[in-house]
Coordinates of all heavy atoms in Angstrom, one line a residue:
M1 N 0.8 -1.2 0.0 CA 0.0 0.0 0.0 C 0.9 1.2 0.0 O 1.9 1.3 0.7 CB -0.9 0.0 1.2 CG -2.4 0.3 0.9 SD -3.2 1.2 2.1 CE -3.5 -0.1 3.3
G2 N 0.4 2.3 -0.7 CA 1.2 3.5 -0.8 C 1.1 4.3 0.5 O 0.0 4.5 1.0
V3 N 2.2 4.7 1.0 CA 2.2 5.5 2.2 C 2.9 6.9 1.9 O 3.9 6.9 1.3 CB 3.1 4.8 3.3 CG1 3.2 5.6 4.6 CG2 2.4 3.4 3.7
P4 N 2.3 8.0 2.4 CA 2.8 9.3 2.1 C 4.2 9.4 2.7 O 4.4 9.1 3.9 CB 1.8 10.3 2.7 CG 0.7 9.5 3.1 CD 1.0 8.1 3.1
K5 N 5.2 9.9 2.0 CA 6.5 10.1 2.5 C 6.6 11.3 3.5 O 7.3 11.2 4.4 CB 7.5 10.3 1.3 CG 8.9 10.2 1.7 CD 9.8 10.1 0.4 CE 11.2 9.8 0.8 NZ 12.0 9.6 -0.4
R6 N 5.8 12.3 3.1 CA 5.9 13.5 4.0 C 4.4 13.9 4.3 O 3.5 13.8 3.5 CB 6.5 14.7 3.2 CG 8.0 14.5 3.0 CD 8.7 15.9 3.0 NE 10.2 15.7 3.0 CZ 10.9 15.6 4.1 NH1 10.3 15.6 5.3 NH2 12.2 15.5 4.0
R7 N 4.3 14.4 5.5 CA 3.1 15.0 5.9 C 2.8 16.3 5.2 O 3.7 17.1 5.1 CB 3.2 15.3 7.5 CG 2.0 16.0 8.1 CD 2.4 16.6 9.4 NE 1.4 17.6 9.8 CZ 0.4 17.4 10.6 NH1 0.3 16.2 11.2 NH2 -0.4 18.3 10.9
S8 N 1.6 16.4 4.6 CA 1.3 17.7 3.9 C 1.0 18.8 4.9 O 0.3 18.6 5.9 CB 0.2 17.5 2.9 OG -0.9 16.9 3.5
S9 N 1.6 20.0 4.6 CA 1.4 21.1 5.6 C 0.0 21.6 5.6 O -0.8 21.3 4.7 CB 2.4 22.2 5.2 OG 2.0 22.8 3.9
K10 N -0.3 22.4 6.5 CA -1.7 23.1 6.6 C -2.0 23.8 5.3 O -3.0 23.8 4.8 CB -1.7 24.0 7.8 CG -1.7 23.4 9.2 CD -1.7 24.5 10.2 CE -1.5 23.9 11.6 NZ -1.3 25.0 12.6
T11 N -0.9 24.6 4.9 CA -1.1 25.4 3.7 C -1.4 24.5 2.5 O -2.3 24.8 1.7 CB 0.2 26.2 3.4 OG1 0.5 26.9 4.7 CG2 0.0 27.2 2.4
R12 N -0.6 23.4 2.3 CA -0.8 22.5 1.2 C -2.2 22.0 1.1 O -2.9 22.0 0.1 CB 0.2 21.4 1.3 CG 1.5 21.6 0.6 CD 1.5 21.0 -0.8 NE 2.6 21.5 -1.6 CZ 2.5 21.9 -2.9 NH1 1.4 21.8 -3.5 NH2 3.6 22.3 -3.5
G13 N -2.7 21.5 2.3 CA -4.0 20.9 2.3 C -5.1 22.0 2.0 O -6.0 21.7 1.3
R14 N -4.9 23.2 2.6 CA -5.9 24.2 2.4 C -5.9 24.7 0.9 O -6.9 25.0 0.3 CB -5.5 25.4 3.3 CG -6.0 25.2 4.7 CD -5.3 26.2 5.7 NE -5.6 25.7 7.0 CZ -5.0 26.3 8.1 NH1 -4.2 27.3 7.9 NH2 -5.3 25.9 9.3
Q15 N -4.7 24.7 0.3 CA -4.6 25.1 -1.1 C -5.3 24.1 -2.0 O -6.0 24.5 -2.9 CB -3.1 25.2 -1.6 CG -2.4 26.5 -1.2 CD -0.9 26.4 -1.5 OE1 -0.3 25.4 -1.6 NE2 -0.3 27.6 -1.6
R16 N -5.2 22.8 -1.7 CA -5.8 21.8 -2.4 C -7.3 21.9 -2.3 O -8.1 21.9 -3.3 CB -5.4 20.4 -1.9 CG -5.7 19.3 -2.8 CD -5.4 17.9 -2.1 NE -4.1 17.9 -1.4 CZ -4.0 17.6 -0.2 NH1 -5.0 17.3 0.6 NH2 -2.8 17.6 0.4
R17 N -7.8 22.2 -1.1 CA -9.3 22.3 -0.9 C -9.8 23.6 -1.6 O -10.9 23.6 -2.1 CB -9.6 22.3 0.6 CG -9.9 21.0 1.1 CD -9.7 20.8 2.6 NE -8.8 19.8 2.9 CZ -7.8 19.8 3.9 NH1 -7.8 20.9 4.6 NH2 -7.0 18.9 4.1
A18 N -9.0 24.7 -1.5 CA -9.4 26.0 -2.1 C -9.5 25.9 -3.6 O -10.2 26.7 -4.2 CB -8.5 27.1 -1.6
A19 N -8.7 25.0 -4.2 CA -8.7 24.9 -5.7 C -10.1 24.4 -6.2 O -10.4 24.6 -7.4 CB -7.6 23.9 -6.1
N20 N -10.9 23.8 -5.3 CA -12.2 23.3 -5.8 C -13.4 24.3 -5.7 O -14.5 23.9 -6.1 CB -12.5 22.0 -5.0 CG -11.5 20.9 -5.3 OD1 -11.0 20.8 -6.4 ND2 -11.2 20.1 -4.3
V21 N -13.1 25.5 -5.1 CA -14.2 26.4 -5.0 C -14.5 27.0 -6.4 O -13.6 27.1 -7.2 CB -14.0 27.5 -4.0 CG1 -13.7 27.0 -2.6 CG2 -12.8 28.4 -4.4
N22 N -15.8 27.2 -6.6 CA -16.2 27.8 -7.9 C -15.9 29.2 -8.0 O -16.3 30.1 -7.3 CB -17.8 27.6 -8.0 CG -18.2 27.7 -9.5 OD1 -17.4 27.9 -10.4 ND2 -19.5 27.7 -9.7
L23 N -15.0 29.5 -9.0 CA -14.5 30.9 -9.1 C -15.3 31.7 -10.1 O -15.4 32.9 -9.9 CB -13.0 30.9 -9.6 CG -12.0 30.1 -8.8 CD1 -10.7 30.0 -9.5 CD2 -11.8 30.9 -7.4
E24 N -15.9 31.1 -11.0 CA -16.6 31.8 -12.1 C -18.0 32.2 -11.6 O -18.7 31.5 -11.0 CB -16.7 31.0 -13.4 CG -15.4 31.0 -14.1 CD -15.5 30.1 -15.3 OE1 -16.5 30.1 -16.0 OE2 -14.5 29.4 -15.5
A25 N -18.4 33.4 -12.0 CA -19.8 33.9 -11.7 C -20.8 33.2 -12.6 O -20.4 32.7 -13.7 CB -19.8 35.4 -12.0
P26 N -22.0 33.0 -12.1 CA -23.0 32.2 -12.9 C -23.3 33.0 -14.2 O -23.3 34.3 -14.2 CB -24.2 32.1 -12.0 CG -24.0 33.2 -11.0 CD -22.5 33.3 -10.8
N27 N -23.6 32.3 -15.3 CA -23.9 32.9 -16.5 C -25.4 33.4 -16.5 O -26.3 32.7 -16.3 CB -23.8 31.8 -17.6 CG -24.0 32.4 -19.0 OD1 -23.6 33.5 -19.3 ND2 -24.5 31.6 -19.9
L28 N -25.5 34.8 -16.6 CA -26.8 35.4 -16.5 C -27.3 35.7 -17.9 O -26.6 36.2 -18.7 CB -26.6 36.7 -15.7 CG -26.2 36.6 -14.2 CD1 -26.0 37.9 -13.6 CD2 -27.3 35.8 -13.4
V29 N -28.6 35.4 -18.0 CA -29.3 35.7 -19.3 C -30.6 36.4 -18.9 O -31.1 36.4 -17.8 CB -29.6 34.4 -20.1 CG1 -28.4 33.8 -20.6 CG2 -30.4 33.5 -19.3
E30 N -31.2 37.1 -19.9 CA -32.4 37.8 -19.7 C -33.6 36.9 -19.8 O -33.7 36.1 -20.8 CB -32.5 39.0 -20.7 CG -33.6 39.9 -20.4 CD -33.8 41.0 -21.5 OE1 -32.8 41.5 -21.9 OE2 -35.0 41.2 -21.8
C31 N -34.5 36.9 -18.9 CA -35.8 36.1 -18.9 C -36.6 36.6 -20.1 O -36.9 37.8 -20.2 CB -36.5 36.3 -17.6 SG -38.1 35.5 -17.6
P32 N -37.1 35.8 -21.0 CA -37.9 36.2 -22.1 C -39.3 36.6 -21.7 O -40.0 37.3 -22.4 CB -38.0 35.0 -23.0 CG -37.7 33.8 -22.1 CD -36.8 34.3 -21.0
Q33 N -39.7 36.3 -20.5 CA -41.0 36.6 -20.0 C -41.1 37.9 -19.3 O -41.9 38.8 -19.6 CB -41.5 35.4 -19.0 CG -43.0 35.4 -18.8 CD -43.8 35.1 -20.0 OE1 -43.3 34.4 -20.9 NE2 -45.0 35.6 -20.1
C34 N -40.2 38.1 -18.3 CA -40.3 39.3 -17.5 C -39.0 40.2 -17.6 O -38.9 41.2 -17.0 CB -40.5 39.0 -16.0 SG -39.2 38.0 -15.3
H35 N -38.1 39.8 -18.5 CA -36.9 40.6 -18.9 C -36.1 41.0 -17.7 O -35.6 42.2 -17.5 CB -37.3 41.8 -19.7 CG -38.1 41.4 -20.9 ND1 -37.5 40.9 -22.0 CD2 -39.4 41.4 -21.1 CE1 -38.4 40.7 -22.9 NE2 -39.6 40.9 -22.4
V36 N -35.9 40.1 -16.8 CA -35.0 40.3 -15.6 C -33.8 39.3 -15.8 O -33.9 38.3 -16.5 CB -35.8 40.1 -14.3 CG1 -35.9 38.6 -13.9 CG2 -35.2 40.9 -13.2
L37 N -32.7 39.7 -15.2 CA -31.5 38.8 -15.4 C -31.6 37.6 -14.5 O -31.9 37.7 -13.3 CB -30.2 39.6 -15.0 CG -29.7 40.6 -16.1 CD1 -28.5 41.3 -15.6 CD2 -29.4 39.9 -17.4
I38 N -31.5 36.4 -15.1 CA -31.6 35.1 -14.3 C -30.4 34.2 -14.7 O -29.8 34.4 -15.7 CB -33.0 34.4 -14.6 CG1 -33.1 34.3 -16.2 CG2 -34.1 35.2 -14.0 CD1 -34.2 33.3 -16.5
V39 N -30.2 33.2 -13.8 CA -29.2 32.2 -14.1 C -29.7 31.3 -15.2 O -30.9 30.9 -15.2 CB -28.9 31.4 -12.9 CG1 -27.7 30.4 -13.1 CG2 -28.5 32.3 -11.7
S40 N -28.9 31.1 -16.3 CA -29.4 30.3 -17.4 C -29.6 28.8 -17.0 O -29.0 28.3 -16.1 CB -28.4 30.4 -18.6 OG -27.2 29.7 -18.2
H41 N -30.5 28.2 -17.7 CA -30.9 26.8 -17.5 C -31.6 26.6 -16.1 O -31.5 25.5 -15.5 CB -29.8 25.8 -17.7 CG -29.1 26.0 -19.0 ND1 -27.9 26.5 -19.2 CD2 -29.6 25.7 -20.3 CE1 -27.6 26.5 -20.5 NE2 -28.6 26.1 -21.2
R42 N -32.2 27.7 -15.6 CA -32.9 27.6 -14.3 C -34.3 28.2 -14.5 O -34.5 29.1 -15.4 CB -32.2 28.4 -13.2 CG -30.8 27.9 -12.9 CD -30.9 26.6 -12.1 NE -29.5 26.2 -11.7 CZ -28.6 25.6 -12.4 NH1 -28.8 25.4 -13.7 NH2 -27.4 25.3 -11.9
V43 N -35.3 27.8 -13.7 CA -36.6 28.4 -13.7 C -36.4 29.8 -13.2 O -35.7 30.1 -12.3 CB -37.6 27.6 -12.8 CG1 -38.9 28.3 -12.7 CG2 -37.7 26.2 -13.4
C44 N -37.1 30.8 -13.9 CA -37.0 32.2 -13.5 C -37.6 32.4 -12.1 O -38.8 32.0 -11.9 CB -37.7 33.1 -14.5 SG -37.8 34.8 -14.0
P45 N -36.9 33.0 -11.1 CA -37.4 33.1 -9.8 C -38.5 34.2 -9.7 O -39.3 34.3 -8.8 CB -36.2 33.5 -9.0 CG -35.3 34.1 -9.9 CD -35.5 33.4 -11.2
E46 N -38.6 35.1 -10.8 CA -39.5 36.2 -10.8 C -40.9 35.7 -11.2 O -41.9 36.0 -10.6 CB -39.0 37.3 -11.7 CG -37.9 38.1 -11.1 CD -38.2 38.9 -9.8 OE1 -39.2 39.5 -9.8 OE2 -37.4 38.8 -8.9
C47 N -41.0 35.0 -12.4 CA -42.2 34.7 -12.9 C -42.5 33.2 -13.0 O -43.6 32.7 -13.3 CB -42.4 35.3 -14.3 SG -41.1 34.7 -15.5
G48 N -41.5 32.4 -12.6 CA -41.7 30.9 -12.6 C -41.8 30.3 -14.0 O -42.3 29.2 -14.1
Y49 N -41.2 30.9 -15.0 CA -41.3 30.4 -16.3 C -40.0 29.7 -16.7 O -38.9 30.1 -16.3 CB -41.6 31.6 -17.3 CG -43.0 31.8 -17.6 CD1 -43.9 32.2 -16.6 CD2 -43.6 31.6 -18.9 CE1 -45.2 32.5 -16.8 CE2 -45.0 31.8 -19.1 CZ -45.8 32.2 -18.1 OH -47.1 32.5 -18.3
Y50 N -40.2 28.7 -17.5 CA -39.0 28.0 -18.1 C -39.4 27.5 -19.5 O -40.5 26.9 -19.6 CB -38.5 26.9 -17.2 CG -37.2 26.3 -17.7 CD1 -36.0 27.0 -17.6 CD2 -37.2 25.0 -18.2 CE1 -34.8 26.5 -18.1 CE2 -36.0 24.5 -18.7 CZ -34.8 25.2 -18.6 OH -33.6 24.7 -19.1
K51 N -38.6 27.7 -20.5 CA -38.9 27.3 -21.9 C -40.3 27.8 -22.3 O -41.1 27.1 -22.8 CB -38.8 25.8 -22.0 CG -37.3 25.4 -22.1 CD -37.2 24.0 -22.8 CE -35.8 23.7 -23.2 NZ -35.7 22.4 -23.8
N52 N -40.6 29.1 -22.0 CA -41.7 29.8 -22.5 C -43.0 29.3 -21.9 O -44.1 29.6 -22.4 CB -41.8 29.9 -24.0 CG -40.6 30.6 -24.6 OD1 -40.2 31.6 -24.1 ND2 -40.1 30.0 -25.6
K53 N -43.0 28.5 -20.9 CA -44.3 28.2 -20.2 C -44.0 28.1 -18.7 O -42.9 28.0 -18.2 CB -44.8 26.8 -20.7 CG -44.0 25.6 -20.4 CD -44.6 24.4 -21.1 CE -43.7 23.2 -20.9 NZ -44.0 22.4 -19.7
E54 N -45.2 28.4 -17.9 CA -45.1 28.4 -16.5 C -44.9 27.0 -15.9 O -45.7 26.2 -16.2 CB -46.3 29.1 -16.0 CG -46.2 29.5 -14.5 CD -47.4 30.3 -14.0 OE1 -48.4 30.4 -14.7 OE2 -47.3 30.8 -12.8
V55 N -43.8 26.9 -15.2 CA -43.6 25.5 -14.6 C -43.7 25.6 -13.1 O -43.9 24.6 -12.4 CB -42.2 25.0 -15.0 CG1 -42.2 24.5 -16.4 CG2 -41.1 25.9 -14.7
V56 N -43.6 26.8 -12.5 CA -43.8 27.0 -11.1 C -44.9 28.1 -10.9 O -44.7 29.2 -11.4 CB -42.5 27.4 -10.4 CG1 -42.7 27.6 -8.9 CG2 -41.4 26.4 -10.6
A57 N -45.9 27.7 -10.2 CA -47.1 28.6 -10.0 C -46.6 29.8 -9.1 O -45.9 29.6 -8.1 CB -48.2 27.9 -9.3
K58 N -47.0 31.0 -9.5 CA -46.6 32.2 -8.8 C -47.9 32.9 -8.3 O -48.9 33.0 -9.0 CB -45.8 33.2 -9.6 CG -44.3 32.8 -9.6 CD -43.6 33.5 -8.5 CE -42.2 32.9 -8.2 NZ -41.5 33.5 -7.1
K59 N -47.8 33.5 -7.1 CA -48.9 34.2 -6.5 C -49.0 35.6 -7.2 O -48.0 36.2 -7.4 CB -48.8 34.4 -5.0 CG -49.0 33.1 -4.2 CD -48.0 33.0 -3.0 CE -46.8 32.2 -3.3 NZ -45.9 32.1 -2.2
Ligands
ZN1 ZN1 -39.2 35.7 -15.7

């Protein structure tokens, strides 16, 4: 079995974990229904529309 030769430092471990955080901002597009900026490929939180039809009922 493979055994680590050296103990990885606090910094090394933290750097490895920090490399997995999402750095890029979500891709924003305009909702065709209410023309507000929304995250693409998501149901619009304003009007509940997705692919030009209502999928989530809104009050
Ligand atoms: Zn909308």
Side-chain angles (χ1 to χ4, degrees):
M1 229 213 282
V3 176
K5 194 167 189 175
R6 289 209 174 272
R7 174 199 163 96
S8 51
S9 67
K10 288 176 188 173
T11 310
R12 269 264 168 222
R14 284 166 190 172
Q15 278 173 340
R16 195 188 314 125
R17 267 158 239 141
N20 297 322
V21 299
N22 195 5
L23 300 171
E24 281 174 45
N27 188 31
L28 293 175
V29 292
E30 190 187 315
C31 174
Q33 196 67 29
C34 60
H35 304 283
V36 83
L37 284 179
I38 54 165
V39 185
S40 65
H41 306 112
R42 297 290 187 281
V43 175
C44 176
E46 289 296 315
C47 59
Y49 268 64
Y50 188 71
K51 283 202 168 180
N52 301 318
K53 65 188 177 84
E54 194 177 6
V55 288
V56 179
K58 275 273 164 181
K59 287 145 262 177

